[in-house]
Amino acid sequence: MDTPQGSEAEFIVKYRQEYYDLSKFMHKHPGGINTLKGLNQADMTARFMKAPPHSDAAMYLMKEYKVKPEDSRVPKTKARHQGRRVDNGQDSQEQEQEQQPREPEDKNNNQLDESMEHLVDWSKAMLPQIANITTCYDEWVHKPVDRPLRLFGPWYLEMLTKTPWWLVPTFWIPVIMWCAWEDIYSSWQDKSQLAVFIAYFLFGVLLWTFLEYTLHRWVFHIKLESNSGPWICTFHFMIHGLHHKVPFDPMRLVFPPLPGAFLAMLIYTPLSYFLIQPRIVLSGALAGYLCYDMMHYYLHYGNPSFRHIVHMKRYHYQHHFTHQDLGYGISSPLWDVVFKTRIHLRKLKYQLRWS
């Protein structure tokens, strides 16, 4: 029986004479859980080769679920021949090696990359180690893994880097209400001001979508070279690189509120001198940010049924695993269209689901 989301039952598949336990990956699979239907305890090689090509990043991630040959989860195959008596009267314990079936040509070039994880020690804090791999950092950080990551050594610093999703609305909704309350009250007293409030609030939301795109494209995805210094690589890993390296870490999918508040003030302070009704614009921008962060978490761990959200989930996964230099919009592809960085997804014959 196929494994549902959250189940601890094993889901063992065979690919190119190797075995993989996908039980913890099924609900994370970018192609949906239903595309894996019927593969439990089966050889998926033929279906895998007929599928659309998998990216190098996806193939690299696959190694995370590989099961060692001596593992008890690997199905045991019976030898084709038992021991036999030879001319000298002694029992031969030799068994003929099982012939491997000839695999069809793999036109998608689905090969498992050589691992680069020997470059770092995953049992130690990762941030101090980035300075040691600057020459190959950009390649390494875009090869995803599914394992725990410790960013800092001291527990009190590490604690600040992990944020449960519910903490974001708990922190930001009161802040948004505080920013907008005076103007909401004025609009309630004077209905002629209501349209003004709505207009500036929506402008703030639109402004956030632009900031989301520009930050994601030109800050979070700053162009890194083999000669990039240790400081720039470390900075990149801390603000965004770690998310591409461990994209399924549920505690690092939303931005911590305190650094977020600092960045909000850093951006808002100079803009407030040029904006009309800056507090309303700020409340709209923060509301846009809140929707973005919640949507980002849902795109990674949700099971959407609404067509647009399904599209955005596929869109974001394409950014992670195939087109890291495209698809910077998360809450909306608007600015990807404007700046011609849109990812064009192929049409599906069926609805994907993740649970």
Side-chain angles (χ1 to χ4, degrees), residues 279-332:
R279 284 166 54 106
I280 303 178
V281 174
L282 175 63
S283 62
L286 291 178
Y289 160 73
L290 178 59
C291 292
Y292 147 81
D293 231 0
M294 293 297 93
M295 186 169 183
H296 184 221
Y297 185 90
Y298 189 73
L299 293 183
H300 278 267
Y301 272 93
N303 178 32
S305 56
F306 185 57
R307 179 177 296 181
H308 174 69
I309 306 300
V310 171
H311 176 86
M312 292 307 297
K313 185 178 179 83
R314 293 178 59 214
Y315 192 85
H316 187 56
Y317 272 151
Q318 283 288 310
H319 167 75
H320 265 282
F321 298 106
T322 306
H323 303 290
Q324 289 92 356
D325 57 344
L326 297 172
Y328 299 105
I330 295 174
S331 58
S332 169

Side-chain angles (χ1 to χ4, degrees), residues 22 24-37 39 48 54 58 61 65 248 300 313 317 321 350 352-354:
L22 304 184
K24 295 182 179 180
F25 173 70
M26 294 182 65
H27 69 282
K28 307 171 187 175
H29 181 221
I33 196 173
N34 46 334
T35 58
L36 301 174
K37 184 178 180 180
L39 289 177
F48 196 91
H54 284 67
L61 177 65
Y65 312 104
F248 302 122
H300 278 267
K313 185 178 179 83
Y317 272 151
F321 298 106
Y350 53 88
L352 297 181
R353 59 183 181 86
W354 286 269

Side-chain angles (χ1 to χ4, degrees), residues 231-354:
W231 287 106
I232 189 66
C233 292
T234 301
F235 173 74
H236 175 268
F237 187 74
M238 184 170 60
I239 64 170
H240 193 63
L242 64 89
H243 176 53
H244 274 263
K245 190 62 184 177
V246 286
F248 302 122
D249 187 340
M251 297 296 284
R252 290 195 170 101
L253 289 177
V254 293
F255 205 74
L258 292 181
F262 174 76
L263 288 177
M265 292 305 300
L266 196 65
I267 296 172
Y268 169 75
T269 300
L271 289 180
S272 64
Y273 292 101
F274 304 98
L275 294 173
I276 302 174
Q277 300 288 352
R279 284 166 54 106
I280 303 178
V281 174
L282 175 63
S283 62
L286 291 178
Y289 160 73
L290 178 59
C291 292
Y292 147 81
D293 231 0
M294 293 297 93
M295 186 169 183
H296 184 221
Y297 185 90
Y298 189 73
L299 293 183
H300 278 267
Y301 272 93
N303 178 32
S305 56
F306 185 57
R307 179 177 296 181
H308 174 69
I309 306 300
V310 171
H311 176 86
M312 292 307 297
K313 185 178 179 83
R314 293 178 59 214
Y315 192 85
H316 187 56
Y317 272 151
Q318 283 288 310
H319 167 75
H320 265 282
F321 298 106
T322 306
H323 303 290
Q324 289 92 356
D325 57 344
L326 297 172
Y328 299 105
I330 295 174
S331 58
S332 169
L334 170 63
W335 299 106
D336 280 317
V337 175
V338 173
F339 291 103
K340 299 181 180 180
T341 54
R342 183 182 181 185
I343 299 173
H344 296 277
L345 303 178
R346 65 186 183 90
K347 293 184 178 180
L348 299 178
K349 297 180 180 179
Y350 53 88
Q351 176 76 24
L352 297 181
R353 59 183 181 86
W354 286 269

Side-chain angles (χ1 to χ4, degrees), residues 137-166:
Y137 166 76
D138 190 56
E139 180 183 4
W140 172 82
V141 81
H142 288 109
K143 292 183 179 295
V145 296
D146 188 4
R147 61 181 74 176
L149 180 144
R150 186 177 185 88
L151 195 60
F152 292 103
W155 66 268
Y156 49 87
L157 291 179
E158 179 68 7
M159 180 181 64
L160 295 176
T161 69
K162 296 184 177 182
T163 309
W165 71 266
W166 52 264

Side-chain angles (χ1 to χ4, degrees), residues 38-107:
L39 289 177
N40 192 14
Q41 301 292 331
D43 190 330
M44 71 172 189
T45 306
R47 187 190 295 188
F48 196 91
M49 291 178 180
K50 293 179 182 178
H54 284 67
S55 66
D56 291 341
M59 297 304 299
Y60 191 89
L61 177 65
M62 187 174 174
K63 296 196 305 298
E64 293 291 287
Y65 312 104
K66 188 175 180 179
V67 179
K68 295 181 179 180
E70 63 271 17
D71 195 293
S72 60
R73 290 172 291 177
V74 175
K76 306 300 180 184
T77 56
K78 295 182 179 180
R80 186 170 298 175
H81 298 281
Q82 302 297 326
R84 60 186 179 184
R85 186 171 298 278
V86 293
D87 292 342
N88 59 7
Q90 296 179 348
D91 289 336
S92 171
Q93 300 300 324
E94 297 180 355
Q95 298 176 346
E96 294 184 7
Q97 185 177 7
E98 183 180 2
Q99 295 182 356
Q100 305 294 347
R102 184 177 180 181
E103 297 175 350
E105 181 182 358
D106 189 348
K107 297 181 180 180

